[in-house]
Amino acid sequence: MVQHVLVAPDKFKGSLTAAEVAATVAAALGVPAVELPVADGGDGTVDAAVAAGFDRVTVRVTGPTGEPVDASYARRGETAVVELAEASGLRRLPAGPEPLTATSHGTGELIADAVKQGATRVVLGLGGSACTDGGAGMVQALGARLLDAGGRELPRGGAALRDLDRVDVSGFLDVSGVAFVVASDVDNPLLGPHGAAAVYGPQKGATPEQVTLLDAALGRLAAVATRTHGLAGAVEHDDTPRAMGVAGAPGAGAAGGVGFAALAFLHADIRPGIDYLLDLLGFHQHVKGARLVITGEGSLDEQTLRGKAPAGVARAAAAAGVPVVAVCGRRTLTDEQLREAGIEAAYALADLEPDLGRSMAEARPLLGRLAARLAADRLS
């Protein structure tokens, strides 16, 4: 029996989608290959699910700054895959960062549509978010009302949460028959120096003063949710919220605190992003009988070792006894680091074209050449 090569890369951010990487590599190998684009819960998760056989469902929802956007989720049977970056991602910002007012409302709208269409399992991929609102927009879209002391609905965005007095969930969407899974490798809590605002706020344009404001606002959300609805979110002492229960859970700080809202309001389970998605995409079936697995992403660096897609693919392939090599745009990992991650070798576009701009602009033909070199080294 002719053994196949399993091509299971993540995207090359800014140049090629995971599906484009997989197709380009497979076409250049000259041997039977199975294409399985993958993702770790961030950008490209819906595309990976669609490539694996899910249907794409497109919905007009609210973007992170309130503008309407067309965003997609993936569905197969009663399972839906919702990617936060689709509706509430940085790429949806029309005119630059909005750290105080960006909302996760559109993500909630995608979830609501999936549930209303009959989904009984919703996989929520968190990554690439534009918002630091603790998932407030998401739960508002699902029917919760976030009210100030005068009974007025709060405006959207994380900063507004400093005025939160109570949460009214009487109109919350019935999700009692739905299992929610958060696919994320972020282990940050909601609050404090390792929390959503402190760690990820600056990446979304927040100044030090805004980080302090947002952290206090998220603490207010967690404390009010605890006090008024019995949610295990945080406690207040001398007006200082302290992360306990759900707010202190690893992953509560994912996607600007959307992880907290998923845990507290949707009773979600948090699973390692790439590991869970490999199961969902059928990696373990496709790797059977493979002679080689080719994975990769735009940059093989220290972040790769912290639960990104290539490291997860390498772990899963090792469990099946199949060797792994990687393709990438550039690499900063040493050969020893790669081997420790289970990757025998890495082939980088930078080896063919050192100029980053040209490498990204000509990524597809360069990747084809790189894959042909890989085939000559590994498959001849």
Side-chain angles (χ1 to χ4, degrees):
M1 184 178 72
V2 177
Q3 290 182 299
H4 66 279
V5 173
L6 179 58
V7 186
D10 200 348
K11 63 189 172 298
F12 282 24
K13 193 168 185 177
S15 55
L16 297 171
T17 68
E20 290 170 338
V21 174
T24 302
V25 170
L29 295 179
V31 299
V34 173
E35 299 168 29
L36 188 72
V38 301
D40 57 13
D43 295 350
T45 296
V46 166
D47 288 342
V50 170
F54 283 66
D55 295 322
R56 186 184 299 275
V57 180
T58 302
V59 186
R60 171 74 43 114
V61 298
T62 304
T65 59
E67 79 291 352
V69 298
D70 291 323
S72 299
Y73 65 91
R75 180 174 176 182
R76 183 169 63 192
E78 295 182 347
T79 297
V81 178
V82 176
E83 174 190 324
L84 177 137
E86 267 288 306
S88 312
L90 286 166
R91 65 186 179 87
R92 294 293 193 181
L93 290 170
E98 297 283 352
L100 301 183
T101 57
T103 177
S104 58
H105 199 276
T107 299
E109 292 173 293
L110 289 177
I111 293 171
D113 189 82
V115 171
K116 290 173 183 176
Q117 297 301 320
T120 59
R121 178 170 62 155
V122 175
V123 180
L124 181 58
L126 301 185
S129 72
C131 53
T132 309
D133 71 344
M138 181 181 77
V139 299
Q140 285 175 312
L142 292 170
R145 299 178 68 221
L146 307 183
L147 307 173
D148 65 16
R152 295 177 292 270
E153 186 91 21
L154 294 183
R156 295 169 189 167
L161 295 171
R162 60 190 168 183
D163 296 323
L164 181 65
D165 183 69
R166 60 191 176 92
V167 181
D168 177 2
V169 292
S170 60
F172 202 75
L173 181 68
D174 181 9
V175 294
S176 56
V178 183
F180 290 90
V181 176
V182 169
S184 174
D185 292 294
V186 170
D187 59 4
N188 303 77
L190 180 66
L191 307 174
H194 303 292
V199 174
Y200 300 107
Q203 299 175 13
K204 303 169 189 180
T207 65
E209 293 77 15
Q210 290 172 331
V211 166
T212 299
L213 186 158
L214 287 167
D215 189 61
L218 294 176
R220 183 68 178 164
L221 169 65
V224 169
T226 301
R227 188 175 68 246
T228 64
H229 289 283
L231 298 173
V235 295
E236 282 182 319
H237 178 67
D238 297 332
D239 296 322
T240 301
R242 288 172 171 79
M244 299 180 68
V246 173
V258 172
F260 165 76
L263 291 168
F265 291 91
L266 300 176
H267 308 293
D269 291 326
I270 291 186
R271 307 279 182 84
I274 182 59
D275 295 340
Y276 186 81
L277 285 163
L278 287 178
D279 286 340
L280 192 70
L281 300 176
F283 179 89
H284 303 287
Q285 287 72 44
H286 291 298
V287 78
K288 291 178 182 177
R291 62 191 288 197
L292 181 70
V293 171
I294 301 174
T295 188
E297 63 180 343
S299 178
L300 286 177
D301 52 31
E302 291 288 341
Q303 289 296 317
T304 303
L305 305 178
R306 298 173 185 165
K308 302 294 282 185
V313 168
R315 281 195 307 273
V322 181
V324 179
V325 296
V327 292
C328 60
R330 66 184 184 96
R331 58 173 280 199
T332 61
L333 297 177
T334 65
D335 290 344
E336 182 179 356
Q337 286 175 308
L338 287 170
R339 285 192 294 270
E340 288 177 354
I343 299 172
E344 292 187 357
Y347 295 76
L349 300 187
D351 297 336
L352 301 178
E353 176 49 76
D355 182 270
L356 178 61
R358 284 198 293 268
S359 178
M360 293 184 69
E362 302 171 17
R364 191 188 291 269
L366 288 171
L367 182 58
R369 289 171 53 194
L370 203 66
R373 177 185 293 183
L374 184 159
D377 290 347
R378 299 278 167 171
L379 301 173
S380 58

